[in-house]
Amino acid sequence: MGTDRLVRFYCLVTSLALIAFVFPTPISASEPTIRLTNGEFAPLMSARAKHGGLVSHIVTEALANSGYQVEYGFFPWKRAFVMAKNGRWDGSVAWGYTAERANDFAYSDPIYPERIYLYYRQHFLFDWQDDTDLQGVKLGVNRGYLDEYMLQQMQKRGLDINYQTTTTELQNFRALLGGRVDVVISNGLVAERLLKEHFTLQEQDRILQHPRPFRVTPLHVLISKNIDHTDEYTSAINRGLQMLHDSGRYDELVADFNRGAYD
């Protein structure tokens, strides 16, 4: 081989080596992928949050422990639920338990506890001790959330429950300040972020959180019963989640979240 050809040969080898270093073949290319719908529920779940938010990150790491990748699709919540229910996607992150949902989904072990509170305007006379306190109060709630289901169950028990639904918490809080609803039902973390980002300090001072939670509910991954691997995927999540707890990694993720690492 001539000198020029030898130089070109070594240049080619060197270039290929550099390409392989900069664009390595993904180690996880052979790992199976679970496709989960998701939605905007910042800071717990959001396409704009780091790692998709805390809950999304927990699920991603749990499944990685079991040898799976995750593909998230972010949709409006009702659509996210329906697309998982009919098996177009494998499941959905993350939901509270109801018997009705259990007809169509297998539930993972609890991923994260959701704390829901009642918010009302300053000077509005309101107290919350039991369901009867919600009678005669116009409530704002997100469409398709567990809270709407709970209000419907109260109505079935004969309580005079009046509510309107919206598609976002932001719409609910604007309706609250505008006097179109008296009380808003919202996740405490979500409400805290929304109020800081979208309302003035004066407006924030006009909105009060009742100290007694409306509910504290564990969130789960739902795996559709209309796919072929329902039990396999559910078991994979549960195994990986247990490994997160046993290793202390779960507590690390929550601590990072509390320090604002997902903002």
Side-chain angles (χ1 to χ4, degrees):
M1 182 180 291
T3 302
D4 291 341
R5 293 179 63 189
L6 185 62
V7 169
R8 288 198 297 272
F9 173 76
Y10 281 116
C11 287
L12 177 61
V13 171
T14 302
S15 298
L16 290 174
L18 287 173
I19 291 172
F21 176 76
V22 177
F23 305 106
T25 302
I27 297 175
S28 59
S30 61
E31 293 178 349
T33 298
I34 297 179
R35 303 173 69 244
L36 301 174
T37 64
N38 209 322
E40 289 301 319
F41 201 55
L44 295 177
M45 293 167 279
S46 175
R48 297 184 295 272
K50 185 177 180 181
H51 301 297
L54 172 64
V55 170
S56 306
H57 196 194
I58 290 172
V59 174
T60 298
E61 291 214 0
L63 282 168
N65 285 341
S66 294
Y68 291 83
Q69 298 182 91
V70 182
E71 176 187 345
Y72 289 120
F74 285 82
F75 306 99
W77 282 110
K78 187 170 184 179
R79 185 180 174 197
F81 183 86
V82 172
M83 293 176 73
K85 176 180 176 180
N86 62 26
R88 290 179 61 188
W89 287 66
D90 297 319
S92 189
V93 178
W95 303 78
Y97 178 87
T98 71
E100 182 179 3
R101 291 173 183 169
N103 291 328
D104 301 294
F105 293 96
Y107 276 76
S108 75
D109 290 340
I111 301 297
Y112 189 80
E114 180 183 32
R115 291 176 173 83
I116 303 298
Y117 293 90
L118 301 177
Y119 295 83
Y120 59 101
R121 289 185 307 279
Q122 188 181 33
H123 306 309
F124 178 73
L125 296 178
F126 175 73
D127 192 20
W128 155 244
Q129 298 302 323
D130 57 48
D131 294 348
T132 59
D133 293 325
L134 300 180
Q135 296 188 110
V137 175
K138 190 168 186 180
L139 299 154
V141 63
N142 272 53
R143 186 176 303 118
Y145 280 19
L146 179 59
D147 309 298
E148 182 184 11
Y149 172 82
M150 292 176 65
L151 296 179
Q152 292 170 347
Q153 297 305 304
M154 294 178 197
Q155 290 175 332
K156 290 179 181 180
R157 298 201 308 268
L159 296 182
D160 179 21
I161 301 296
N162 179 22
Y163 70 90
Q164 70 176 35
T165 61
T166 60
T167 56
T168 69
E169 283 84 355
L170 181 57
Q171 290 174 319
N172 274 327
F173 281 107
R174 285 175 173 162
L176 179 63
L177 285 176
R180 296 186 297 277
V181 297
D182 301 317
V183 173
V184 162
I185 305 173
S186 179
N187 178 284
L189 293 170
V190 173
E192 180 182 359
R193 170 170 288 201
L194 281 176
L195 292 175
K196 288 181 179 178
E197 291 184 353
H198 297 280
F199 297 94
T200 66
L201 290 176
Q202 185 179 16
E203 289 172 328
Q204 293 176 43
D205 288 341
R206 293 176 53 202
I207 298 176
L208 305 179
Q209 179 197 80
H210 195 281
R212 182 175 184 269
F214 180 63
R215 63 176 172 88
V216 179
T217 307
L219 295 176
H220 307 260
V221 180
L222 304 187
I223 299 298
S224 176
K225 291 183 177 179
N226 287 315
I227 63 172
D228 294 332
H229 304 286
T230 305
D231 293 339
E232 174 190 340
Y233 290 171
T234 305
S235 296
I237 295 169
N238 293 343
R239 288 197 311 273
L241 184 63
Q242 187 60 54
M243 292 169 69
L244 285 182
H245 284 292
D246 292 345
S247 67
R249 177 60 175 162
Y250 184 95
D251 293 334
E252 289 179 4
L253 295 176
V254 173
D256 288 344
F257 173 77
N258 291 334
R259 287 192 293 267
Y262 292 83
D263 294 341

